[in-house]
Amino acid sequence: LLVLGYLFYLLLGAMVFQLLEKQAETHFRDQFQLEKLKFLQNYTCLDRQALEQFVQVLMEAWEKGVNPEGNSTNPSNWDFSNSFFFAGTVVTTIGYGNLSPSTVAGQIFCVFYALFGVPLNLAFLNQLGKGLNAHLITLERWVQKPVAIFLTTGTLLFLVFPPLVFSYVEGWSYGEGFYFTFITLSTIGFGDYVVGTNPNKHYIPVYRSLTAIWIVFGLAWLALVFNVGADLME
């Protein structure tokens, strides 16, 4: 029954995502092709092959973590603050995908760093979860519904208030900030929204480091919530 339910949930998700996203994707694809045709008409010195080559250069730059917007004065993706944030996405298995090591030495180090870092992160989150559970037990002595308070407080601290900050700093809508918050704390990490990557904005140096710390505590809280949900389903 559990297997059938799991497969049904995946099939349901596939159908809904296809229904919601396929038409929009077709529209964006047609719009992009139209923009390329307009570009070629405006700049007759270029041919289609030259344009496709330039598009390929842009795609390769994006895959290497270089934002095509802006210029060479953009902040480095590998300064200490950004490297600290990246290290956090490795050990937490979020893996946004917008940035990755490009050197062979960096890739090999990343493998071994994750090999030891992921278990270390799990052990840390486990102990952090035990600490939160201990506080829940203490809270139970004073109030009758500690779980409700735990869920409410955590929701405010990790899901409701952070999108307000991200919306202000990044220029996102609240919905986009909330989407980023949940996708990050659930370790899904699509990489379509990542903090501190807009070349047109000036961020304080510790912005991404503070975000990484928020992620760690948010992971521990949401992991407990997911565990409760899993227990209820079982």
Side-chain angles (χ1 to χ4, degrees):
L1 184 62
L2 183 59
V3 170
L4 290 175
Y6 186 72
L7 291 176
F8 172 77
Y9 197 74
L10 292 177
L11 291 172
L12 176 65
M15 289 189 293
V16 173
F17 283 127
Q18 182 182 31
L19 180 66
L20 295 175
E21 298 295 331
K22 188 174 183 180
Q23 186 175 358
E25 180 203 36
T26 302
H27 171 73
F28 288 134
R29 181 183 286 118
D30 294 341
Q31 188 67 29
F32 179 64
Q33 295 300 328
L34 182 62
E35 290 296 329
K36 286 202 294 186
L37 287 175
K38 288 181 180 179
F39 187 83
L40 289 172
Q41 291 173 354
N42 292 332
Y43 299 93
T44 54
C45 58
L46 289 174
D47 57 15
R48 178 173 289 276
Q49 183 179 1
L51 179 59
E52 293 297 339
Q53 289 177 346
F54 184 65
V55 170
Q56 185 65 31
V57 170
L58 293 178
M59 291 179 62
E60 291 177 357
W62 182 260
E63 289 172 357
K64 297 296 183 182
V66 178
N67 195 325
E69 294 182 316
N71 50 45
S72 59
T73 61
N74 291 345
S76 170
N77 289 319
W78 295 105
D79 58 21
F80 182 79
S81 179
N82 288 333
S83 298
F84 182 85
F85 184 80
F86 174 77
T89 64
V90 171
V91 298
T92 57
T93 70
I94 294 174
Y96 287 117
N98 68 310
L99 184 65
S100 59
S102 59
T103 64
V104 175
Q107 291 168 351
I108 293 174
F109 174 75
C110 187
V111 169
F112 287 98
Y113 185 75
L115 185 64
F116 294 98
V118 172
L120 175 63
N121 178 70
L122 291 175
F124 173 75
L125 290 180
N126 185 42
Q127 291 300 317
L128 192 58
K130 288 180 179 179
L132 291 175
N133 274 328
H135 285 297
L136 267 180
I137 294 172
T138 303
L139 187 63
E140 193 171 8
R141 300 172 184 171
W142 300 96
V143 295
Q144 293 182 343
K145 297 181 179 179
V147 175
I149 293 179
F150 171 76
L151 290 175
T152 303
T153 304
T155 300
L156 291 174
L157 287 177
F158 298 114
L159 291 179
V160 175
F161 291 148
L164 294 173
V165 177
F166 296 136
S167 299
Y168 174 77
V169 176
E170 302 290 342
W172 300 337
S173 67
Y174 182 83
E176 290 172 325
F178 184 83
Y179 167 79
F180 162 78
T181 298
F182 183 81
I183 293 299
T184 294
L185 296 185
S186 61
T187 72
I188 296 172
F190 290 124
D192 47 353
Y193 290 89
V194 183
V195 296
T197 58
N198 190 338
N200 300 317
K201 292 186 176 293
H202 177 72
Y203 301 99
I204 60 174
V206 296
Y207 173 57
R208 298 191 92 188
S209 299
L210 291 175
T211 303
I213 295 172
W214 162 77
I215 287 173
V216 169
F217 286 94
L219 283 174
W221 173 79
L222 196 59
L224 285 177
V225 174
F226 283 158
N227 286 336
V228 171
D231 290 339
L232 289 175
M233 289 185 180
E234 288 181 2

Coordinates of all heavy atoms in Angstrom, one line a residue, residues 30-108:
D30 N 9.3 29.9 -27.6 CA 8.9 30.7 -28.8 C 9.4 32.1 -28.7 O 9.8 32.7 -29.7 CB 7.4 30.6 -29.1 CG 7.0 29.2 -29.4 OD1 7.8 28.3 -29.7 OD2 5.7 28.9 -29.2
Q31 N 9.2 32.7 -27.5 CA 9.6 34.1 -27.3 C 11.1 34.3 -27.5 O 11.5 35.3 -28.1 CB 9.1 34.6 -25.9 CG 9.3 36.1 -25.7 CD 8.4 36.9 -26.5 OE1 7.3 36.5 -26.9 NE2 8.9 38.1 -26.8
F32 N 11.9 33.3 -27.0 CA 13.3 33.4 -27.1 C 13.7 33.3 -28.6 O 14.6 34.0 -29.1 CB 13.9 32.3 -26.3 CG 15.4 32.2 -26.4 CD1 16.2 33.3 -25.9 CD2 16.1 31.2 -27.0 CE1 17.6 33.2 -26.0 CE2 17.5 31.1 -27.1 CZ 18.2 32.2 -26.6
Q33 N 13.1 32.4 -29.4 CA 13.5 32.3 -30.8 C 13.1 33.5 -31.5 O 13.8 34.0 -32.4 CB 12.7 31.1 -31.4 CG 13.1 29.7 -30.8 CD 14.6 29.4 -31.0 OE1 15.2 29.8 -32.0 NE2 15.2 28.7 -30.1
L34 N 12.0 34.2 -31.1 CA 11.6 35.4 -31.8 C 12.6 36.5 -31.5 O 12.9 37.3 -32.4 CB 10.2 35.8 -31.3 CG 9.5 37.1 -31.9 CD1 9.4 36.9 -33.4 CD2 8.2 37.4 -31.2
E35 N 13.0 36.6 -30.2 CA 14.0 37.6 -29.9 C 15.3 37.4 -30.6 O 16.0 38.4 -31.0 CB 14.3 37.6 -28.4 CG 13.1 38.0 -27.5 CD 12.8 39.5 -27.7 OE1 13.8 40.3 -28.0 OE2 11.6 39.9 -27.6
K36 N 15.7 36.2 -30.9 CA 17.0 35.9 -31.7 C 16.8 36.4 -33.1 O 17.7 37.0 -33.7 CB 17.3 34.4 -31.6 CG 17.9 34.0 -30.3 CD 18.7 32.7 -30.4 CE 17.9 31.5 -30.8 NZ 18.7 30.3 -30.8
L37 N 15.6 36.1 -33.7 CA 15.3 36.6 -35.0 C 15.4 38.1 -35.1 O 15.9 38.7 -36.1 CB 14.0 36.1 -35.5 CG 13.9 34.6 -35.8 CD1 12.5 34.2 -36.2 CD2 14.8 34.2 -37.0
K38 N 14.8 38.8 -34.1 CA 14.8 40.3 -34.1 C 16.2 40.8 -34.0 O 16.6 41.8 -34.6 CB 14.0 40.8 -32.9 CG 12.5 40.6 -33.1 CD 11.7 41.2 -31.9 CE 10.2 41.0 -32.0 NZ 9.5 41.6 -30.8
F39 N 17.0 40.1 -33.2 CA 18.4 40.5 -33.0 C 19.2 40.4 -34.3 O 19.9 41.3 -34.7 CB 19.1 39.6 -31.9 CG 20.4 40.1 -31.5 CD1 20.6 41.1 -30.6 CD2 21.6 39.5 -32.1 CE1 21.9 41.5 -30.2 CE2 22.8 39.9 -31.7 CZ 23.0 40.9 -30.8
L40 N 19.0 39.3 -35.0 CA 19.6 39.2 -36.3 C 19.2 40.2 -37.3 O 20.0 40.6 -38.2 CB 19.4 37.7 -36.8 CG 20.1 36.6 -36.1 CD1 19.6 35.3 -36.6 CD2 21.6 36.7 -36.3
Q41 N 17.9 40.6 -37.3 CA 17.4 41.6 -38.2 C 17.9 42.9 -37.9 O 18.2 43.7 -38.8 CB 15.9 41.6 -38.2 CG 15.2 40.3 -38.7 CD 13.7 40.3 -38.5 OE1 13.1 41.2 -37.8 NE2 13.0 39.3 -39.0
N42 N 18.2 43.2 -36.6 CA 18.7 44.5 -36.3 C 20.2 44.7 -36.5 O 20.7 45.7 -36.7 CB 18.4 44.8 -34.8 CG 16.9 45.0 -34.5 OD1 16.2 45.5 -35.4 ND2 16.5 44.7 -33.3
Y43 N 20.9 43.5 -36.4 CA 22.4 43.5 -36.6 C 22.7 42.6 -37.7 O 23.0 41.4 -37.5 CB 23.1 43.1 -35.3 CG 22.8 44.0 -34.1 CD1 21.7 43.7 -33.2 CD2 23.5 45.2 -33.9 CE1 21.4 44.6 -32.2 CE2 23.2 46.0 -32.9 CZ 22.2 45.7 -32.0 OH 21.9 46.6 -30.9
T44 N 22.6 43.1 -38.9 CA 22.7 42.3 -40.2 C 24.1 41.8 -40.4 O 24.4 41.0 -41.2 CB 22.2 43.1 -41.4 OG1 22.9 44.4 -41.4 CG2 20.7 43.4 -41.3
C45 N 25.1 42.4 -39.7 CA 26.5 42.0 -39.8 C 26.7 40.6 -39.2 O 27.8 40.0 -39.4 CB 27.5 43.0 -39.2 SG 27.2 43.3 -37.4
L46 N 25.8 40.1 -38.4 CA 25.9 38.8 -37.7 C 25.0 37.8 -38.5 O 24.0 38.1 -39.1 CB 25.4 38.9 -36.3 CG 26.2 39.6 -35.2 CD1 25.5 39.7 -33.9 CD2 27.6 38.9 -35.1
D47 N 25.5 36.6 -38.5 CA 24.7 35.5 -39.0 C 24.2 34.6 -37.9 O 24.6 34.7 -36.7 CB 25.4 34.7 -40.1 CG 26.7 34.1 -39.6 OD1 26.9 34.1 -38.3 OD2 27.5 33.7 -40.4
R48 N 23.3 33.6 -38.2 CA 22.8 32.8 -37.1 C 23.9 32.0 -36.4 O 23.8 31.8 -35.2 CB 21.7 31.8 -37.7 CG 21.1 30.9 -36.7 CD 20.0 30.1 -37.3 NE 18.8 30.9 -37.5 CZ 17.9 31.2 -36.6 NH1 18.1 30.7 -35.4 NH2 16.9 32.0 -36.9
Q49 N 24.9 31.5 -37.2 CA 25.9 30.7 -36.6 C 26.7 31.5 -35.5 O 27.0 31.0 -34.5 CB 26.9 30.1 -37.6 CG 27.9 29.2 -37.1 CD 28.8 28.7 -38.2 OE1 28.7 29.0 -39.4 NE2 29.8 27.9 -37.8
A50 N 27.0 32.8 -35.9 CA 27.8 33.6 -34.9 C 27.0 33.8 -33.7 O 27.5 33.9 -32.5 CB 28.1 34.9 -35.6
L51 N 25.6 34.1 -33.8 CA 24.8 34.3 -32.7 C 24.7 33.0 -31.8 O 24.8 33.1 -30.6 CB 23.4 34.7 -33.1 CG 22.3 34.9 -32.0 CD1 22.8 36.0 -31.1 CD2 21.0 35.3 -32.6
E52 N 24.6 31.9 -32.4 CA 24.5 30.6 -31.7 C 25.8 30.4 -30.9 O 25.8 29.9 -29.8 CB 24.2 29.5 -32.6 CG 22.8 29.5 -33.2 CD 21.7 29.4 -32.2 OE1 21.9 28.9 -31.1 OE2 20.6 29.8 -32.6
Q53 N 26.9 30.7 -31.5 CA 28.2 30.6 -30.8 C 28.3 31.5 -29.6 O 28.8 31.1 -28.5 CB 29.4 30.9 -31.8 CG 29.6 29.8 -32.8 CD 30.7 30.2 -33.8 OE1 31.1 31.4 -33.9 NE2 31.1 29.2 -34.6
F54 N 27.7 32.7 -29.7 CA 27.8 33.7 -28.6 C 26.8 33.2 -27.5 O 27.2 33.3 -26.3 CB 27.3 35.1 -29.1 CG 27.4 36.1 -28.0 CD1 28.7 36.5 -27.4 CD2 26.3 36.7 -27.5 CE1 28.7 37.4 -26.4 CE2 26.4 37.7 -26.5 CZ 27.6 38.0 -26.0
V55 N 25.7 32.6 -27.9 CA 24.8 32.1 -26.9 C 25.4 30.9 -26.1 O 25.3 30.8 -24.9 CB 23.5 31.6 -27.6 CG1 22.6 30.8 -26.6 CG2 22.7 32.8 -28.1
Q56 N 26.2 30.1 -26.9 CA 26.9 29.0 -26.2 C 28.0 29.5 -25.2 O 28.1 29.0 -24.1 CB 27.6 28.2 -27.3 CG 28.3 26.9 -26.8 CD 27.4 25.9 -26.2 OE1 26.2 25.8 -26.7 NE2 27.8 25.2 -25.2
V57 N 28.6 30.6 -25.6 CA 29.6 31.3 -24.7 C 28.9 31.7 -23.4 O 29.4 31.5 -22.3 CB 30.3 32.4 -25.3 CG1 31.1 33.2 -24.3 CG2 31.2 31.9 -26.4
L58 N 27.7 32.3 -23.5 CA 26.9 32.8 -22.4 C 26.5 31.6 -21.5 O 26.6 31.7 -20.3 CB 25.7 33.5 -22.8 CG 25.9 34.9 -23.5 CD1 24.5 35.4 -24.0 CD2 26.6 35.9 -22.6
M59 N 26.1 30.5 -22.1 CA 25.7 29.3 -21.4 C 26.9 28.7 -20.6 O 26.7 28.3 -19.4 CB 25.1 28.3 -22.3 CG 23.7 28.7 -22.9 SD 23.1 27.4 -24.0 CE 22.9 26.1 -22.9
E60 N 28.0 28.7 -21.2 CA 29.2 28.1 -20.6 C 29.6 29.0 -19.4 O 30.0 28.5 -18.3 CB 30.4 28.0 -21.6 CG 30.1 26.9 -22.6 CD 31.3 26.8 -23.6 OE1 32.2 27.7 -23.6 OE2 31.2 25.9 -24.5
A61 N 29.5 30.3 -19.6 CA 29.9 31.3 -18.5 C 28.9 31.0 -17.3 O 29.4 31.0 -16.2 CB 29.8 32.7 -19.0
W62 N 27.6 30.9 -17.6 CA 26.7 30.7 -16.5 C 26.9 29.4 -15.8 O 26.8 29.3 -14.6 CB 25.3 30.7 -17.1 CG 24.2 30.5 -16.1 CD1 23.5 29.4 -15.8 CD2 23.7 31.5 -15.2 NE1 22.6 29.6 -14.8 CE2 22.7 30.9 -14.4 CE3 24.0 32.9 -15.0 CZ2 22.0 31.6 -13.4 CZ3 23.3 33.6 -14.1 CH2 22.3 33.0 -13.3
E63 N 27.3 28.3 -16.6 CA 27.6 27.0 -15.9 C 28.8 27.1 -15.0 O 28.9 26.3 -14.1 CB 27.7 26.0 -17.0 CG 26.5 25.6 -17.8 CD 26.7 24.7 -18.9 OE1 27.9 24.4 -19.2 OE2 25.7 24.3 -19.6
K64 N 29.7 28.0 -15.3 CA 30.9 28.1 -14.5 C 30.7 29.1 -13.4 O 31.6 29.4 -12.6 CB 32.1 28.6 -15.4 CG 32.5 27.7 -16.5 CD 33.0 26.4 -15.9 CE 33.5 25.4 -17.0 NZ 34.0 24.1 -16.5
G65 N 29.5 29.6 -13.2 CA 29.2 30.5 -12.1 C 29.5 31.9 -12.4 O 29.4 32.8 -11.5
V66 N 29.7 32.3 -13.7 CA 30.0 33.7 -14.0 C 28.7 34.3 -14.6 O 28.2 33.8 -15.6 CB 31.1 33.8 -15.1 CG1 31.3 35.2 -15.5 CG2 32.4 33.2 -14.6
N67 N 28.2 35.3 -13.9 CA 27.0 35.9 -14.4 C 27.2 36.8 -15.6 O 28.1 37.7 -15.6 CB 26.4 36.8 -13.2 CG 24.9 37.2 -13.5 OD1 24.5 37.4 -14.6 ND2 24.2 37.3 -12.4
P68 N 26.6 36.5 -16.7 CA 26.8 37.3 -18.0 C 26.5 38.8 -17.8 O 27.0 39.6 -18.6 CB 25.9 36.6 -19.0 CG 25.6 35.3 -18.5 CD 25.6 35.4 -17.0
E69 N 25.6 39.1 -16.9 CA 25.3 40.5 -16.6 C 26.4 41.2 -16.0 O 27.3 40.6 -15.3 CB 24.0 40.6 -15.8 CG 22.7 40.1 -16.4 CD 21.6 40.3 -15.5 OE1 21.7 40.0 -14.3 OE2 20.5 40.7 -16.0
G70 N 26.5 42.5 -16.1 CA 27.5 43.3 -15.4 C 28.8 43.2 -16.2 O 28.9 43.0 -17.4
N71 N 29.9 43.4 -15.5 CA 31.2 43.4 -16.1 C 32.2 42.7 -15.2 O 31.9 42.0 -14.3 CB 31.7 44.8 -16.4 CG 31.6 45.7 -15.2 OD1 32.0 45.3 -14.1 ND2 31.0 46.9 -15.3
S72 N 33.5 42.8 -15.6 CA 34.6 42.1 -14.8 C 34.8 42.6 -13.4 O 35.5 42.0 -12.7 CB 35.9 42.2 -15.6 OG 36.3 43.6 -15.7
T73 N 34.1 43.7 -13.0 CA 34.3 44.2 -11.7 C 33.3 43.5 -10.7 O 33.3 43.9 -9.5 CB 34.1 45.7 -11.6 OG1 32.7 46.0 -12.1 CG2 35.1 46.4 -12.5
N74 N 32.5 42.6 -11.2 CA 31.6 41.9 -10.3 C 32.3 41.2 -9.2 O 33.4 40.7 -9.5 CB 30.7 40.9 -11.1 CG 29.8 41.5 -12.1 OD1 29.5 42.7 -12.0 ND2 29.3 40.7 -13.0
P75 N 31.8 41.1 -8.0 CA 32.5 40.4 -6.9 C 32.7 38.9 -7.3 O 32.0 38.3 -8.0 CB 31.5 40.5 -5.8 CG 30.6 41.7 -6.1 CD 30.5 41.7 -7.6
S76 N 33.8 38.4 -6.7 CA 34.2 37.0 -7.0 C 33.2 36.1 -6.4 O 32.7 36.3 -5.3 CB 35.6 36.7 -6.5 OG 35.9 35.4 -6.6
N77 N 32.9 35.0 -7.1 CA 32.1 33.9 -6.5 C 32.9 33.1 -5.4 O 32.3 32.3 -4.7 CB 31.6 32.9 -7.6 CG 30.6 33.6 -8.5 OD1 29.7 34.3 -8.0 ND2 30.7 33.3 -9.8
W78 N 34.2 33.3 -5.4 CA 35.0 32.5 -4.5 C 35.8 33.3 -3.5 O 36.8 32.9 -3.0 CB 36.0 31.6 -5.3 CG 35.3 30.6 -6.2 CD1 35.1 30.7 -7.5 CD2 34.6 29.4 -5.8 NE1 34.4 29.6 -8.0 CE2 34.1 28.8 -6.9 CE3 34.5 28.8 -4.5 CZ2 33.4 27.6 -6.9 CZ3 33.8 27.6 -4.5 CH2 33.2 27.0 -5.6
D79 N 35.2 34.5 -3.1 CA 35.8 35.1 -1.9 C 35.4 34.3 -0.7 O 34.6 33.3 -0.8 CB 35.3 36.6 -1.8 CG 33.8 36.7 -1.7 OD1 33.1 35.7 -1.4 OD2 33.3 37.8 -2.1
F80 N 35.8 34.7 0.5 CA 35.6 33.8 1.7 C 34.2 33.7 2.0 O 33.7 32.6 2.3 CB 36.4 34.4 2.9 CG 36.3 33.5 4.1 CD1 37.0 32.4 4.2 CD2 35.3 33.8 5.1 CE1 36.9 31.5 5.3 CE2 35.2 33.0 6.2 CZ 36.0 31.8 6.3
S81 N 33.4 34.8 2.0 CA 32.0 34.7 2.3 C 31.2 33.8 1.4 O 30.5 32.9 1.8 CB 31.4 36.1 2.3 OG 30.0 36.0 2.6
N82 N 31.5 33.9 0.1 CA 30.8 33.0 -0.9 C 31.3 31.6 -0.8 O 30.5 30.7 -1.0 CB 31.0 33.6 -2.3 CG 30.2 34.8 -2.6 OD1 29.2 35.1 -1.9 ND2 30.7 35.7 -3.5
S83 N 32.6 31.4 -0.5 CA 33.1 30.1 -0.4 C 32.5 29.4 0.9 O 32.3 28.2 0.9 CB 34.6 30.1 -0.3 OG 35.2 30.6 -1.5
F84 N 32.3 30.2 2.0 CA 31.7 29.6 3.2 C 30.3 29.2 2.9 O 29.9 28.1 3.3 CB 31.7 30.7 4.3 CG 31.2 30.3 5.6 CD1 31.9 29.6 6.5 CD2 29.8 30.5 5.9 CE1 31.4 29.2 7.7 CE2 29.3 30.1 7.1 CZ 30.1 29.5 8.0
F85 N 29.6 30.0 2.1 CA 28.2 29.7 1.7 C 28.2 28.4 0.9 O 27.3 27.5 1.1 CB 27.6 30.8 1.0 CG 26.1 30.6 0.6 CD1 25.1 30.8 1.5 CD2 25.8 30.2 -0.7 CE1 23.8 30.7 1.2 CE2 24.5 30.1 -1.0 CZ 23.5 30.3 -0.1
F86 N 29.1 28.3 -0.1 CA 29.2 27.1 -0.9 C 29.5 25.9 -0.1 O 28.9 24.8 -0.3 CB 30.3 27.3 -2.0 CG 30.5 26.1 -2.9 CD1 29.6 25.8 -3.9 CD2 31.6 25.3 -2.6 CE1 29.8 24.6 -4.6 CE2 31.8 24.1 -3.4 CZ 30.9 23.8 -4.4
A87 N 30.4 26.0 0.8 CA 30.8 24.8 1.7 C 29.5 24.3 2.4 O 29.3 23.1 2.6 CB 31.9 25.2 2.7
G88 N 28.7 25.3 2.9 CA 27.5 24.9 3.6 C 26.5 24.2 2.7 O 25.8 23.3 3.1
T89 N 26.4 24.6 1.4 CA 25.5 23.9 0.5 C 26.0 22.5 0.1 O 25.2 21.7 -0.3 CB 25.3 24.7 -0.8 OG1 26.6 24.8 -1.5 CG2 24.8 26.1 -0.5
V90 N 27.3 22.3 0.3 CA 27.8 21.0 0.0 C 27.5 20.0 1.1 O 26.9 18.9 0.9 CB 29.4 21.0 -0.2 CG1 30.0 19.6 -0.3 CG2 29.7 21.8 -1.5
V91 N 27.8 20.4 2.3 CA 27.6 19.4 3.5 C 26.1 19.3 3.8 O 25.7 18.2 4.3 CB 28.4 19.9 4.7 CG1 29.9 19.9 4.4 CG2 27.9 21.3 5.2
T92 N 25.3 20.2 3.5 CA 23.9 20.1 3.7 C 23.1 19.4 2.6 O 21.9 19.2 2.6 CB 23.2 21.5 4.0 OG1 23.5 22.3 2.9 CG2 23.8 22.1 5.3
T93 N 23.9 19.1 1.5 CA 23.3 18.5 0.3 C 22.3 19.4 -0.4 O 21.5 18.8 -1.2 CB 22.8 17.1 0.5 OG1 21.5 17.2 1.3 CG2 23.7 16.2 1.3
I94 N 22.3 20.7 -0.2 CA 21.3 21.5 -0.9 C 21.7 21.6 -2.4 O 20.9 21.4 -3.3 CB 21.3 23.0 -0.3 CG1 20.7 22.9 1.1 CG2 20.5 23.9 -1.1 CD1 20.8 24.2 1.9
G95 N 23.0 21.9 -2.6 CA 23.5 21.9 -4.0 C 22.7 22.7 -5.0 O 22.0 22.1 -5.9
Y96 N 22.7 24.0 -4.9 CA 21.9 24.8 -5.8 C 22.2 24.6 -7.3 O 21.3 24.6 -8.1 CB 22.2 26.3 -5.5 CG 21.5 26.8 -4.2 CD1 22.3 27.2 -3.2 CD2 20.2 26.8 -4.1 CE1 21.7 27.7 -2.0 CE2 19.6 27.2 -2.9 CZ 20.4 27.7 -1.9 OH 19.8 28.1 -0.7
G97 N 23.5 24.3 -7.6 CA 23.8 24.0 -9.0 C 24.2 25.2 -9.8 O 24.6 25.1 -11.0
N98 N 24.1 26.4 -9.2 CA 24.5 27.6 -9.9 C 26.0 27.8 -9.8 O 26.6 28.7 -10.5 CB 23.8 28.9 -9.3 CG 24.3 29.2 -7.9 OD1 24.3 28.3 -7.1 ND2 24.6 30.4 -7.7
L99 N 26.7 27.1 -8.9 CA 28.1 27.3 -8.8 C 28.7 25.9 -8.4 O 28.2 25.2 -7.6 CB 28.4 28.3 -7.7 CG 29.9 28.6 -7.4 CD1 30.5 29.3 -8.6 CD2 30.1 29.5 -6.2
S100 N 29.9 25.6 -9.0 CA 30.5 24.3 -8.7 C 32.0 24.5 -9.0 O 32.4 25.4 -9.8 CB 29.9 23.2 -9.6 OG 30.0 23.5 -10.9
P101 N 32.9 23.6 -8.4 CA 34.3 23.7 -8.7 C 34.6 23.5 -10.2 O 34.1 22.5 -10.8 CB 34.9 22.6 -7.8 CG 33.9 22.3 -6.8 CD 32.6 22.6 -7.5
S102 N 35.5 24.3 -10.8 CA 35.8 24.1 -12.2 C 37.2 23.5 -12.4 O 37.5 23.0 -13.5 CB 35.8 25.4 -12.9 OG 36.7 26.4 -12.3
T103 N 38.0 23.5 -11.4 CA 39.4 22.9 -11.5 C 39.3 21.4 -11.0 O 38.5 21.0 -10.2 CB 40.4 23.6 -10.6 OG1 40.0 23.5 -9.2 CG2 40.4 25.1 -11.0
V104 N 40.2 20.6 -11.6 CA 40.3 19.2 -11.2 C 40.6 19.1 -9.7 O 39.9 18.2 -9.0 CB 41.3 18.4 -12.0 CG1 41.4 17.0 -11.5 CG2 40.9 18.5 -13.5
A105 N 41.5 19.9 -9.2 CA 41.8 19.8 -7.8 C 40.6 20.2 -6.9 O 40.3 19.6 -5.9 CB 43.0 20.8 -7.5
G106 N 39.8 21.2 -7.3 CA 38.7 21.6 -6.6 C 37.6 20.6 -6.6 O 36.9 20.3 -5.6
Q107 N 37.4 19.9 -7.7 CA 36.4 18.8 -7.8 C 36.8 17.6 -6.9 O 35.9 17.1 -6.3 CB 36.3 18.4 -9.3 CG 35.7 19.5 -10.2 CD 35.8 19.1 -11.6 OE1 36.5 18.2 -12.0 NE2 35.1 19.9 -12.5
I108 N 38.1 17.2 -7.0 CA 38.5 16.1 -6.1 C 38.4 16.4 -4.6 O 37.9 15.6 -3.8 CB 40.0 15.7 -6.4 CG1 40.1 15.2 -7.9 CG2 40.5 14.7 -5.4 CD1 41.5 14.9 -8.3

